[in-house]
Amino acid sequence: KQWYQRRVHGECSLDLVGSMWEFIIGFLLGIYFWRCWIHPRTRSVKPGLNSDITLPHHEELELHHNMLSSCSQKVRACLGETGLKHRKIHHVLPSSGSWETKQADYLNNINPAGTVPVLIHNGHPIYESHEQILYIDQVLMPGGPKLTPVVGGKAHRG
């Protein structure tokens, strides 16, 4: 009889709606935490040339970059200044509405840190844009015009 009285007065349906929302919120939180648990995590990388790592590549020199990334822009400018032939591979960043650089494919095959730019020379990655500029200047263009300032007879590692 109590159930009948609660149903007539609408109390039962409110309890059911509350329980339904609790279930939905709990379910969505469960999906969120499950996704966080299985989603690959970024790892730090050693700046500069990593000759112990060989990545898949199609050309001698490849640049994984993003058009809006300031670090990518400075490496592209240096490559443009030298005239070195290279392949550009564009990636969409989380700030641009995509998680491409945080996906397992990118983290496992390009950069475990999940950042751009990544310069690849003969399959070996060079991480961090300032190290990439030094590498272009000192290794790829040793006799060409200098891209980095010379301080006391050595390139500045600023």
Side-chain angles (χ1 to χ4, degrees):
K1 186 159 177 140
Q2 289 177 348
W3 176 82
Y4 176 75
Q5 288 175 343
R6 287 175 55 197
R7 183 152 171 84
V8 169
H9 297 293
E11 294 174 21
C12 186
S13 62
L14 290 177
D15 290 343
L16 185 62
V17 170
S19 296
M20 182 180 69
W21 278 112
E22 290 172 2
F23 172 79
I24 291 171
I25 290 170
F27 181 76
L28 293 175
L29 281 171
I31 291 173
Y32 172 78
F33 287 115
W34 173 77
R35 174 87 169 113
C36 290
W37 182 259
I38 66 161
H39 191 274
R41 286 156 178 77
T42 59
R43 301 181 309 275
S44 61
V45 294
K46 182 183 87 173
L49 176 66
N50 286 266
S51 55
D52 56 325
I53 301 172
T54 303
L55 300 177
H57 62 288
H58 294 45
E59 293 188 23
E60 178 183 351
L61 197 60
E62 295 182 347
L63 179 67
H64 292 264
H65 71 101
N66 178 272
M67 294 300 277
L68 301 176
S69 160
S70 58
C71 293
S72 293
Q73 289 171 356
K74 65 184 181 181
V75 174
R76 282 196 319 270
C78 288
L79 286 169
E81 202 56 38
T82 62
L84 290 169
K85 183 182 174 212
H86 63 284
R87 176 179 174 223
K88 292 180 188 169
I89 303 159
H90 185 264
H91 296 280
V92 184
L93 300 177
S95 59
S96 302
S98 174
W99 290 93
E100 185 177 350
T101 58
K102 304 301 183 205
Q103 297 298 319
D105 185 47
Y106 186 83
L107 293 172
N108 294 331
N109 297 323
I110 312 290
N111 186 355
T115 60
V116 292
V118 176
L119 185 64
I120 298 176
H121 184 221
N122 292 324
H124 302 294
I126 300 105
Y127 299 118
E128 303 296 332
S129 58
H130 58 280
E131 294 291 333
Q132 293 165 5
I133 293 168
L134 287 172
Y135 187 84
I136 293 167
D137 194 28
Q138 297 170 2
V139 177
L140 299 177
M141 296 291 291
K146 289 290 164 204
L147 300 171
T148 55
V150 177
V151 178
K154 287 177 69 176
H156 182 63
R157 296 190 66 87

